[in-house]
């Protein structure tokens, strides 16, 4: 009798689970498994240099670290050095780092994010900290950590050298990881006079959108990652992305939901737009979206945003995994 009960109940229970998750459990992804421990380690290694603020030794050393890591993963690395100026006229030496896989392929996808960290914790609850640089584990470090792990996965795939590897099946596809410099040195709140300071942010991507790292370079589309490593993080369909690249938003959100990360990639309409590096890529003529974290509790940017709390202690491996696995799904299912 008891056995019979289980026989009846068990399929019912399964049905219940399936309905709640609303995921096609029969779907088998062709993508490899993103290793969140590895991504976390790359975030920690960046933070260990100290804040990567413009014109600092920590910044320059970390730039070398990022370029070296991508090279060890088999990428062709281009450096784009350029001069710019901060909101107050201070000259800055910028370095955009571009890591190309399958560099000669014509159909390219950009995955990008900034690698500098904010020189001022001007959103910290303690005013004493408003001039202190931040570690930027989430704001800067998390995107690059995810990108490095994606590169490691591409290298593993290349090393297997069999007919089922990504570039064997899709020889016309190439992936470019672009690490923007000088994104986060926009006018600090304590110096803001209420004028429009939009152009003081995203200096590296502004430069690149006018002068690419290679003459005539273009790509199918780009995906910018920003603040993808805290707990209590959710990703909404950001407004500028929806205006310039709605089909790419659909593609990425569908990929995430297909593999069970609908909890992170939400279709709820939040309506916000963010001035970020993706805007510069769009202005340069390549459709680009922003996967940017929103705090699930408070709304708005993650709670650690531009505070002293943006450090390695607040990095959450589950969020890194959700974003990284979604990126692999997008790459591996590209037509
Ligand atoms: C502005 O605050 C104008 N843009 C936010 C972009 C940003 C800063 N992302 C991370 N830090
Ligand atoms: Zn920031």
């Amino acid at each position: 009798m008891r056995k019979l009960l289980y026989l009846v109940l068990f399929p019912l229970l399964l049905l219940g689970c399936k309905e709640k998750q609303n995921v096609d459990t029969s779907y088998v992804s062709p993508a490899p498994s993103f290793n969140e421990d590895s991504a976390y380690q790359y975030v920690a290694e960046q933070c260990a240099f100290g804040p990567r603020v413009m014109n600092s030794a920590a910044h320059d050393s970390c730039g070398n670290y990022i370029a070296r890591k991508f090279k060890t993963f088999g990428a062709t690395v281009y450096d784009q050095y350029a001069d710019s100026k901060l909101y107050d006229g201070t000259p800055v030496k910028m370095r955009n780092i571009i890591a190309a896989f399958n560099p000669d392929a014509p159909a390219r996808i950009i995955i990008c994010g900034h690698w500098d960290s904010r020189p001022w914790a001007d959103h910290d609850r303690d005013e004493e900290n408003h001039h202190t640089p931040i570690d930027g584990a989430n704001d800067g470090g998390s995107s690059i950590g995810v990108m490095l792990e994606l590169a490691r996965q591409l290298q593993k795939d290349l090393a297997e050298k069999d007919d089922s590897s990504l570039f064997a099946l899709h020889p016309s596809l190439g992936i470019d990881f672009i690490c923007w410099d000088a994104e986060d040195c926009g006018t600090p709140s304590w110096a803001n006079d209420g004028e429009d300071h939009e152009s003081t942010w995203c200096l590296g991507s502004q430069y690149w959108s006018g002068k690419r790292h290679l003459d005539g370079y273009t790509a199918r589309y780009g995906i910018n990652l920003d603040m993808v490593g805290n707990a209590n993080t959710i990703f909404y369909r950001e407004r500028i992305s929806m205006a310039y690249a709605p089909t790419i938003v659909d593609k990425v959100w569908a990929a995430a939901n297909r593999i069970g990360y609908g909890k992170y990639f939400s279709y709820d309409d939040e309506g916000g737009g963010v001035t970020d590096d993706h805007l510069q890529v769009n202005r340069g003529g390549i459709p680009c979206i922003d996967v940017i974290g929103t705090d699930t509790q408070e709304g708005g940017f993650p709670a650690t945003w531009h505070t002293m709390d943006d450090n390695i202690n607040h990095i959450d491996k589950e969020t890194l995994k959700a974003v990284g696995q979604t990126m692999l799904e997008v790459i591996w299912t590209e037509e």
Side-chain angles (χ1 to χ4, degrees):
M1 182 61 200
R2 176 173 275 189
K3 222 177 202 168
L4 193 74
L5 195 66
Y6 279 132
L7 277 174
V8 174
L9 263 180
F10 193 58
L12 277 176
L13 277 170
L14 274 180
L15 258 176
C17 290
K18 204 171 171 185
E19 238 167 48
K20 241 188 228 142
Q21 288 181 0
N22 201 17
V23 184
D24 177 3
T25 45
S26 66
Y27 176 71
V28 180
S29 167
S33 176
F34 183 91
N35 186 323
E36 63 272 31
D37 296 319
S38 170
Y40 179 93
Q41 188 193 322
Y42 303 141
V43 180
E45 284 171 3
Q46 291 171 77
C47 291
F49 288 99
R52 282 84 61 217
V53 303
M54 301 310 295
N55 296 339
S56 72
H59 172 275
D60 294 356
S61 304
C62 187
N64 292 339
Y65 158 84
I66 293 167
R68 186 173 69 242
K69 286 301 256 192
F70 277 117
K71 279 180 199 157
T72 66
F73 296 145
T76 303
V77 175
Y78 307 91
D79 288 302
Q80 187 181 48
Y81 291 98
D83 293 311
S84 190
K85 282 191 164 71
L86 298 189
Y87 72 97
D88 63 354
T90 305
V92 285
K93 296 261 175 225
M94 305 191 293
R95 178 185 186 182
N96 292 326
I97 303 164
I98 301 100
F101 283 85
N102 212 11
D104 299 323
R108 312 202 65 78
I109 299 174
I110 296 171
I111 300 183
C112 50
H114 74 91
W115 71 273
D116 64 307
S117 48
R118 183 138 180 89
W120 318 284
D122 56 346
H123 206 253
D124 199 272
R125 69 181 86 76
D126 183 351
E127 210 175 315
E128 297 244 310
N129 293 327
H130 283 196
H131 293 256
T132 308
I134 65 170
D135 280 354
N138 192 40
D139 194 355
S142 65
S143 325
I144 304 300
V146 166
M147 285 155 62
L148 284 170
E149 170 58 9
L150 293 172
R152 193 181 73 89
Q153 292 293 337
L154 288 175
Q155 186 214 30
K156 272 176 65 188
D157 182 72
L158 282 167
E160 279 159 20
K161 277 202 184 92
D162 61 19
D163 297 346
S164 69
S165 86
L166 176 67
F167 297 122
L169 290 171
H170 205 329
S172 64
L173 183 66
I175 311 290
D176 296 306
F177 296 100
I178 307 188
C179 310
W180 309 117
D181 203 358
E183 186 272 352
D184 226 353
C185 44
T187 309
S189 54
W190 39 261
N192 200 315
D193 51 13
E195 297 291 306
D196 179 16
H197 290 269
E198 192 207 275
S199 64
T200 65
W201 301 83
C202 305
L203 302 178
S205 55
Q206 280 188 51
Y207 181 83
W208 182 90
S209 82
K211 189 181 184 325
R212 308 276 159 87
H213 59 289
L214 295 172
D215 285 339
Y217 173 89
T218 192
R220 281 185 173 176
Y221 61 87
I223 303 170
N224 192 69
L225 307 177
D226 196 4
M227 302 191 276
V228 296
N230 273 8
N232 304 321
T233 288
I234 190 164
F235 305 103
Y236 293 115
R237 296 170 297 165
E238 185 270 341
R239 184 176 289 195
I240 292 170
S241 311
M242 289 299 272
Y244 280 96
T247 59
I248 309 308
V249 175
D250 286 348
K251 185 200 286 270
V252 171
W253 261 248
N257 279 268
R258 177 163 82 231
I259 59 173
Y261 289 117
K263 183 182 129 213
Y264 288 91
F265 287 78
S266 168
Y267 285 105
D268 293 346
D269 200 357
E270 281 298 295
V274 183
T275 303
D276 209 345
D277 291 311
H278 69 312
L279 177 58
Q280 305 303 329
V281 179
N282 281 309
R283 285 179 175 161
I286 298 173
C288 186
I289 71 163
D290 203 15
V291 174
I292 181 166
T294 291
D295 190 277
T296 54
Q297 325 273 292
E298 304 285 332
F301 291 143
T304 66
W305 181 70
H306 296 181
T307 75
M308 301 305 289
D309 285 337
D310 187 1
N311 56 45
I312 193 68
N313 301 326
H314 290 92
I315 292 299
D316 181 73
K317 290 181 182 175
E318 289 299 308
T319 308
L320 296 173
K321 170 74 174 175
V323 173
Q325 195 61 53
T326 297
M327 293 303 111
L328 288 176
E329 178 70 13
V330 169
I331 294 170
W332 255 258
T333 56
E334 182 72 5
E335 299 270 289

